[in-house]
Structures are given as C-alpha cells and as structure tokens.
Amino acid sequence: MIELREVNKYFGALHVLQDIDLTVGRGEVVVVIGPSGSGKSTLCRTINRLETIQSGAIAVDGRPLPEEGKELAQLRAEVGMVFQSFNLFAHRTVLANVMLAQQKVRKRGKQEAERRARELLERVGLADQADKYPAQLSGGQQQRVAIARALAMDPKVMLFDEPTSALDPEMINEVLEVMRQLAREGMTMVVVTHEMGFARYAANRVVFMADGRIVEDRSPEEFFTAPATERARDFLSKIL
Ligand code: ADP
Ligand code: MG
C-alpha cells in the first residue's frame, strides 16, 4: 500500500531522510519511533507529499505520488493525516468540521456528507457532540473529531504523527482505542508515537529511526525484547 525506495530528503544542508526504504502492506500497522529530530514527521509528510523529496521514489497503492493538481488533491484525500495539534476549524461545529472536505474534495452533497459525518462521529464515540464547537470539547474529543474528519475522505491509508502527545494523560487512551479499532478493521496505518503499549500490542512492525535513517524494522516482540542496535537499546532505556 505504501512503498518508499531509496528516498532522500534535504532541508538545505541537513540530510533529514537518508536512503529510506520502507514498505507497508495493505492492512498493516507500522509504528515509527525514535529520538526527536530523527525525521519521523518528515517521513510522514513525504508520504502525502506535504514535503517533496530530492531523490528516490514513493508510491501509494501502486501509484507514484502525483506532482500537482487534481491528482495531488486526490492523493491527500486517500492518505489521511492526523497531527499532534488537532487543526480543527474553530468557527465551525464538530459536524461541519467532518462535513466540509467531503463536500469540497469528494464533491458529496450536503445530505450524504452529513449522513457520513454522523456515522463517523458515532464510530469515534462523539455522536452527541455534533453541534458543539471545537473549543467546547476536551483535547481527546477534538482529536477524535480530527480522526473522524480524516476518515470521512475514505482514505486508503492513515498517517498519525504523535496524535496523543498534546493530550492530558487521562485522554490518551480514548484516542488510542479509536486507533486500535481502526487497526482491527484493517486500515493501513503509519503511526509515530511514544506510546509503547500501542507499539507493542497494536503494531505489526516497529520502525526505529535515528539521524534520518531507519535503523531497525522488525516485529514489536523482537524489537522490545531484543533490540539489535545500541541506538535502539539506548533509546528504549530512556523511555521505558
Ligand atoms: P522528528 O519528527 O523525528 O522529531 P522531524 O522530521 O520533525 O523529526 O525533523 C527532522 C529534522 O529536520 C530536524 O533536525 C528538524 O529540525 C529538521 N526540519 C524539520 N522540518 C524542517 C523545515 N521545514 N525546515 C528546515 N528543517 C526542518
Ligand atoms: Mg515529529
């Protein structure tokens, strides 16, 4: 579903992604972990072309990433992204937040968009919050709205970049539970997270990055019980 081949990305002189090879199969959940500044966010952003690359190739569902225009808008709809900051439209209701892109990008009529939005709000446990504004919701609820909004595009892939890092501890689990549910339903997911419980029990693979490189790419069992590299051992000893 996602394939990166020898991807290199620079910010000026900074070589942020170095010869990245990564394949994510349909329905697979890959958790990306690693120290701050190792290129995790940049990796996610290249997959929906929020960042361009200098060399290498990226394909989603067997198609090379489009450069621009309609195809690029289509790609962005197919590759849903959820960030640490929820980025909801503050002056729109929860319902409208989940409807807008469906109407604009997917060209759905109002009724169909509303039906789908209500269905997704139900799925993330927020059916009763549809008429509120984002500021009236907790951080965990806002992040679940952001997930519903991404899902409303019927994505083939979902990218999560530290989706729980800005949340108070008691709200982390309600967001992770929505993500676990998505994983069980077979969504292809790339998840950057520091939640090691999620990595251990919901991921098919753990990718460990350091200094712009993929240092390890293995099953969670192998990674957590016997990391192969000193870098990973050192990282795990700091966070576990
Ligand atoms: P991570 O998500 O693992 O913390 P990032 O992908 O955000 O890492 O950043 C990787 C490196 O690229 C860091 O050194 C960061 O400072 C740098 N970087 C990220 N975005 C930009 C940008 N837009 N311009 C210049 N440097 C950037
Ligand atoms: Mg980051």
Side-chain angles (χ1 to χ4, degrees), residues 9-12 14-17 32-45 51 161-162 192 194 209 212:
K9 161 87 187 162
Y10 297 81
F11 285 118
L14 187 66
H15 196 175
V16 272
L17 295 179
V32 180
I33 66 176
S36 176
S38 56
K40 306 180 298 294
S41 294
T42 306
L43 175 69
C44 279
R45 292 164 59 82
E51 299 286 357
D161 190 2
E162 301 200 25
V192 179
H194 301 299
M209 286 186 75

Side-chain angles (χ1 to χ4, degrees), residues 5-235:
R5 282 284 159 258
E6 293 188 35
V7 167
N8 285 280
K9 161 87 187 162
Y10 297 81
F11 285 118
L14 187 66
H15 196 175
V16 272
L17 295 179
Q18 306 189 25
D19 292 322
I20 298 286
D21 282 306
L22 179 68
T23 305
V24 183
R26 196 178 296 268
E28 219 177 1
V29 177
V30 172
V31 161
V32 180
I33 66 176
S36 176
S38 56
K40 306 180 298 294
S41 294
T42 306
L43 175 69
C44 279
R45 292 164 59 82
T46 60
I47 298 173
N48 66 356
R49 223 172 181 284
L50 285 173
E51 299 286 357
T52 56
I53 58 175
Q54 274 73 44
S55 71
I58 306 178
V60 171
D61 200 12
R63 290 200 313 256
L65 295 196
E67 303 273 308
E68 58 190 11
K70 269 200 189 104
E71 288 78 20
L72 183 56
Q74 174 83 9
L75 171 85
R76 298 252 166 86
E78 285 178 0
V79 180
M81 184 142 180
V82 173
F83 303 88
Q84 180 173 342
S85 54
F86 327 120
N87 299 330
L88 298 175
F89 299 112
H91 302 289
R92 303 286 195 147
T93 64
V94 164
L95 183 68
N97 265 279
V98 184
M99 286 174 63
L100 282 172
Q102 294 189 63
Q103 294 171 274
K104 281 208 164 119
V105 181
R106 288 297 194 202
K107 308 290 180 205
R108 289 183 189 145
K110 190 163 176 271
Q111 272 191 338
E112 192 194 350
E114 178 169 344
R115 189 187 53 74
R116 182 92 178 107
R118 289 197 187 276
E119 187 181 293
L120 285 164
L121 287 171
E122 172 87 44
R123 191 157 140 202
V124 300
L126 295 171
D128 52 348
Q129 307 293 319
D131 299 325
K132 291 197 178 158
Y133 287 85
Q136 296 172 287
L137 304 188
S138 72
Q141 290 173 321
Q142 289 185 58
Q143 191 60 300
R144 285 184 284 148
V145 174
I147 295 173
R149 181 176 61 175
L151 291 176
M153 296 288 93
D154 299 329
K156 293 178 173 171
V157 169
M158 285 284 286
L159 310 174
F160 293 88
D161 190 2
E162 301 200 25
T164 61
S165 295
L167 300 178
D168 291 331
E170 74 273 19
M171 290 167 193
I172 290 176
N173 207 43
E174 68 193 44
V175 172
L176 293 180
E177 187 47 42
V178 168
M179 292 165 62
R180 285 187 210 105
Q181 179 67 32
L182 258 185
R184 283 194 293 269
E185 289 166 7
M187 178 62 77
T188 305
M189 296 164 59
V190 175
V191 182
V192 179
T193 186
H194 301 299
E195 293 297 324
M196 292 301 125
F198 182 88
R200 186 145 196 161
Y201 300 108
N204 299 107
R205 273 161 49 216
V206 172
V207 165
F208 176 73
M209 286 186 75
D211 300 329
R213 290 183 183 279
I214 292 180
V215 177
E216 298 201 29
D217 180 347
R218 342 177 42 201
S219 74
E221 300 83 62
E222 288 176 324
F223 182 75
F224 287 108
T225 53
T229 60
E230 187 58 42
R231 286 302 295 263
R233 276 194 291 278
D234 180 57
F235 178 75

